[in-house]
């Protein structure tokens, strides 16, 4: 990954100098060819663990229903573990290549430490492939930035805490947690969850001059009911379940004005 390329991007984020495919430009900036050297195939992951593709067949129905209930209709980003009852959220590159994944318990009965587990490339090679290999730190960090190779870095890139939120927003990536590092520095637009942890991080980013999502404004506009914690997935579900059909213009709910801190 070229530091000079990232500096150039920061200075020219609003204009694309050449009429080229945006995914091609993103791939060059993040050095996709180097990342692909460490990626594993979707089929290998399925073979090792017995994971299944998502479908409404009997064996996969619990996973299928879990995703549909959460407005997740692009099954390419997921696999299902019928033994452990886990949804597997994939960080994909070039369609069928995997550079990281997260397991999500759908039973609600697992101990807290097993409900969500994130596997970066280093952990995949060490714990799954049982192979001693040094993963460059920059690539290992990118391996848990979900959807990173499916966005256009020349447009405003939104950042959510969780992959499922990212799949529901335009040009969005996920850090798999509010405290996780992105490993790259661009003028991202941050969408933290509407809870204490998310609010604390949002205020920090606001103070640093980043664009941050204003939850209170959205709640008022949509007349959302009281809920201890809201995330983007919750909003989309609420809109579906309450027949809210108006288009949400997400960009109007961002601000980099510190005086808007009370609206987070």
């Amino acid at each position: 990954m070229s530091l000079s390329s990232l500096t150039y991007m920061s200075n020219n984020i609003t204009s694309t100098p050449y009429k080229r495919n945006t995914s091609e430009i993103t791939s060059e900036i993040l050095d996709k060819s180097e990342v692909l050297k460490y990626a594993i195939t979707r089929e290998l992951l399925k073979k090792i663990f017995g994971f299944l593709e998502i479908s409404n067949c009997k064996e996969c129905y619990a996973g299928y229903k879990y995703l549909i209930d959460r407005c997740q209709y692009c099954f390419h980003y997921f696999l299902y573990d019928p033994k452990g009852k886990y949804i597997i959220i994939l960080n994909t590159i070039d369609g069928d290549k995997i550079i990281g994944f997260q397991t999500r318990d759908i039973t609600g009965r697992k101990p807290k430490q097993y409900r969500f587990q994130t596997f970066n490339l280093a952990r995949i090679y060490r714990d799954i492939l049982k192979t001693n290999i040094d993963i460059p730190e920059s690539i290992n960090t990118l391996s848990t930035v979900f959807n990173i190779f499916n966005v256009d870095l020349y447009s405003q890139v939104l950042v959510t805490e969780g992959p499922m939120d990212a799949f529901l927003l335009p040009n969005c990536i996920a850090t798999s947690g509010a405290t996780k590092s992105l490993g790259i520095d661009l003028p991202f637009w941050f969408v933290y969850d509407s809870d204490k942890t998310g609010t604390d991080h949002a205020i920090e980013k606001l103070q640093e001059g980043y664009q941050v999502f204003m939850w209170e404004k959205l709640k008022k506009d949509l007349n959302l009911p009281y809920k201890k914690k809201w995330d983007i997935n919750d909003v989309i579900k609420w809109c579906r379940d309450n027949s809210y059909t108006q288009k949400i213009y997400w960009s109007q709910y961002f601000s980099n004005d510190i005086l808007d801190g009370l609206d987070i």
Side-chain angles (χ1 to χ4, degrees):
M1 189 186 308
S2 167
L3 182 59
S4 60
S5 293
L6 290 177
T7 302
Y8 177 82
M9 285 293 300
S10 294
N11 294 335
N12 298 276
I13 194 72
T14 58
S15 61
T16 305
Y18 307 109
K19 290 184 178 179
R20 296 172 55 196
N21 184 288
T22 53
S23 62
E24 179 186 350
I25 297 170
T26 297
S27 297
E28 287 182 0
I29 293 166
L30 300 177
D31 200 356
K32 183 175 76 169
S33 60
E34 190 65 22
V35 177
L36 278 169
K37 293 178 183 178
Y38 301 95
I40 65 171
T41 67
R42 187 186 193 98
E43 291 305 314
L44 178 60
L45 198 59
K46 289 163 61 177
K47 181 178 179 181
I48 291 173
F49 289 106
F51 293 158
L52 302 174
E53 297 290 346
I54 303 293
S55 74
N56 62 353
C57 70
K58 183 178 180 180
E59 196 171 15
C60 299
Y61 188 74
Y64 171 84
K65 184 176 184 303
Y66 182 89
L67 292 178
I68 292 296
D69 286 348
R70 286 154 182 78
C71 305
Q72 302 289 338
Y73 305 115
C74 185
F75 298 149
H76 180 73
Y77 294 122
F78 305 97
L79 292 171
Y80 180 59
D81 175 9
K83 296 178 181 176
K85 306 298 182 190
Y86 289 100
I87 285 289
I88 315 301
I89 308 172
L90 305 172
N91 193 8
T92 63
I93 178 172
D94 269 12
D96 64 344
K97 302 294 194 307
I98 310 300
I99 57 173
F101 65 92
Q102 184 181 90
T103 63
R104 178 174 293 201
D105 166 48
I106 65 173
T107 68
R109 297 191 295 269
K110 302 279 195 314
K112 187 175 181 180
Q113 65 268 32
Y114 297 116
R115 290 175 192 166
F116 299 92
Q117 292 194 73
T118 302
F119 290 74
N120 58 23
L121 275 170
R123 187 177 179 186
I124 289 173
Y125 275 90
R126 182 187 69 243
D127 297 348
I128 298 174
L129 301 180
K130 308 296 183 184
T131 302
N132 240 349
I133 185 171
D134 289 327
I135 309 291
E137 184 178 351
S138 60
I139 292 177
N140 201 45
T141 299
L142 274 184
S143 70
T144 55
V145 181
F146 285 78
N147 217 33
I148 185 62
F149 284 96
N150 301 314
V151 297
D152 169 16
L153 291 180
Y154 271 99
S155 298
Q156 288 90 1
V157 179
L158 309 187
V159 182
T160 62
E161 292 184 37
M164 284 194 175
D165 291 332
F167 298 149
L168 294 173
L169 289 175
N171 214 48
C172 190
I173 61 177
T175 59
S176 68
T179 62
K180 301 294 182 180
S181 170
L182 285 166
I184 49 178
D185 186 18
L186 287 172
F188 296 114
W189 293 33
F190 288 90
V191 189
Y192 290 104
D193 293 348
S194 179
D195 59 5
K196 186 182 185 309
T197 300
T199 298
D200 289 345
H201 286 287
I203 290 174
E204 286 179 15
K205 290 299 182 184
L206 198 61
Q207 291 171 337
E208 293 170 8
Y210 286 97
Q211 293 279 351
V212 172
F213 194 72
M214 301 288 114
W215 273 103
E216 291 306 311
K217 187 176 188 310
L218 178 77
K219 291 176 186 178
K220 291 173 187 174
D221 286 356
L222 270 61
N223 196 26
L224 296 177
Y226 171 77
K227 196 171 185 286
K228 190 174 182 181
K229 173 188 174 183
W230 281 92
D231 60 26
I232 294 300
N233 210 160
D234 293 329
V235 173
I236 301 299
K237 284 169 55 184
W238 182 90
C239 290
R240 178 197 61 190
D241 296 343
N242 291 274
S243 302
Y244 185 89
T245 57
Q246 295 182 47
K247 182 178 177 63
I248 299 176
Y249 293 92
W250 298 102
S251 60
Q252 69 179 316
Y253 294 105
F254 286 85
S255 175
N256 62 356
D257 187 343
I258 193 64
L259 295 179
D260 287 332
L262 294 178
D263 282 332
I264 294 175

